[in-house]
Amino acid sequence: MSTATAEYELAEPLMLQWLTALGVDVEFVRGEGNTLYFVGPDGTEVPVLDYAGGYGSLILGHNHPAIVDAARDFFDAGTPVLAQAARQPAASRVAAALNSVLHREFGVTEPYFAVFANSGAESVEVALKHAEFDRVLKVKALAEEITGHLEAAGAAVASGTAVLPETTVAALGLPAGSGFDAVAAEVGGRLAASAARPSLFLALERGFHGKLVGSIQITHNPAFRTPFATMAPQARFVPLDRLDVLDEVIAAERATVPDVVVEGGAVAVVQREFPVFSAFVLEVIQGEGGIRVVDRAAAERIRAACDAVDCPIVVDEIQSGMGRTGAFFAGSLIGLVPDYVTLAKSLGGGVAKSAVTLVRGGRYRPEFELLHSSTFAKDAFSSALALRTVELLEADGGAVYRRAAELGDELIALFTSLREDFPDVVKDVRGKGLMLGLEFHDQTGSAAPSIAQAALTDTFGYAVAGYLFRVHRIRTFPTASATTTLRFEPSVLLTATEIARLDVALRALAAVLRAQDEHAFTAG
């Protein structure tokens, strides 16, 4: 066994076995634009057309020359990558650039403060932590206010300037004749019990937000979430096509706590809204859930429900952001102004690992900076490349956004035509811009054993991806939580020739599935 082989077998060996079974276990040695290259058995490079696009990380393609030049310039200048606890002007410039885009697209002027991270899942963790920290501080402020009211009311009763009516005692469920000490104890006890409630998040069914300890709890797929359900705060999931459930969930979880006031010389009980919900987290386009789009009506419904209980909205733009849908922020296309927005993937220009959480100024808690930190976040290298990426996306009046929209229209036309010609094979076409999904009909009844087996084991999309790679040298994968849907997330460098190649490959695939051709499906 060679050293290289041993190293690879120690790096997720089960995953390697699975890739081998699909016939996609190659090592890519070079990449440019939408093309990856591996070395074939004869020693020559084999090109592969990449429609997976780094799961949305490559809006500018592999090794974009301007990003590579920025990386070279950075290292040629000898700039330190890691110089923590010092001024970080590059990160500040990225935050300013992102604010400029956000203000333009959403028509707002409020600043959004930036907390940098290393990955998309971590940027979601930042949003969850900050939102919960904000809720906890609101609970603390409410508790201090009620405690102050109790002290004032108690002093008023003791001095004889206020009385404690039996109606107030009864309103708290206390025995008749109970004194103010009992009232104070009851109010304080209920407040303490409410304050001890664990945090609660709201999220959409089919949503995917990462696999870290916090983010996995708002990722809907039970296979990912359930094994770790006891490790972190819980979420209530709402179906996108039945948002009336959101009203039901809020009504069921909503809570009040008693407060006391002195009115007209008498102590009275009033109910105060208690901060229950930490945040509502959603993707504008659900990536791993099957490329399902949140429309403007749904966004307005969610915003109204959340505003009614002061629940902030975290918009996960990790996959849909950075110009992929025809605007920098996909949320701007449906008018969903975020309280928090997370970015990652393409933020690093396809070269650096970079992520950021933007927090609306009105909700930002500066104290959070003393509680959350990361050794590698906000480093000078990833910040330099993120800034260059934003500059490229914004160049020529947002030409990249227009190009993404145009290419998306072409691909949707291709998929729609395919569906019309193969309605028994293709079930649906979804998405926007260069974040698209092609859903296939259930194949569990296929006469081809490999097709039927893949469908029965929920690996159909991966088997299809293997076919496209082996036979047509096209690379894509299904969405993780909806494996009958193939995702297509190429870069804006996509050409007419590359689109035509995909058309040929997908039509061949559809013909194989229609014919239930075992030999053709397992070829290569």
Side-chain angles (χ1 to χ4, degrees), residues 29 37-47:
V29 298
Y37 298 85
F38 69 91
V39 178
D42 62 355
T44 61
E45 287 188 339
V46 179

Side-chain angles (χ1 to χ4, degrees), residues 52-76:
Y55 298 125
S57 300
L58 298 165
I59 187 64
L60 298 175
H62 292 277
N63 296 321
H64 190 285
I67 301 297
V68 172
D69 286 347
R72 289 198 182 101
D73 291 344
F74 178 90
F75 289 118
D76 287 346

Side-chain angles (χ1 to χ4, degrees), residues 280-300:
F280 190 117
V281 189
L282 62 89
E283 302 159 276
V284 180
I285 300 179
Q286 296 183 312
E288 305 303 334
I291 315 294
R292 298 181 183 276
V293 182
V294 175
D295 62 21
R296 184 175 291 270
E300 291 174 351

Side-chain angles (χ1 to χ4, degrees), residues 89-103:
S92 294
R93 286 193 287 270
V94 174
L98 293 174
N99 265 267
S100 177
V101 178
L102 190 152
H103 291 164

Side-chain angles (χ1 to χ4, degrees), residues 38 46 58 122 235 266 276 316 355 367 465-466 471:
F38 69 91
V46 179
L58 298 165
E122 188 183 339
V276 171
D316 180 341
E367 310 96 309
V471 178

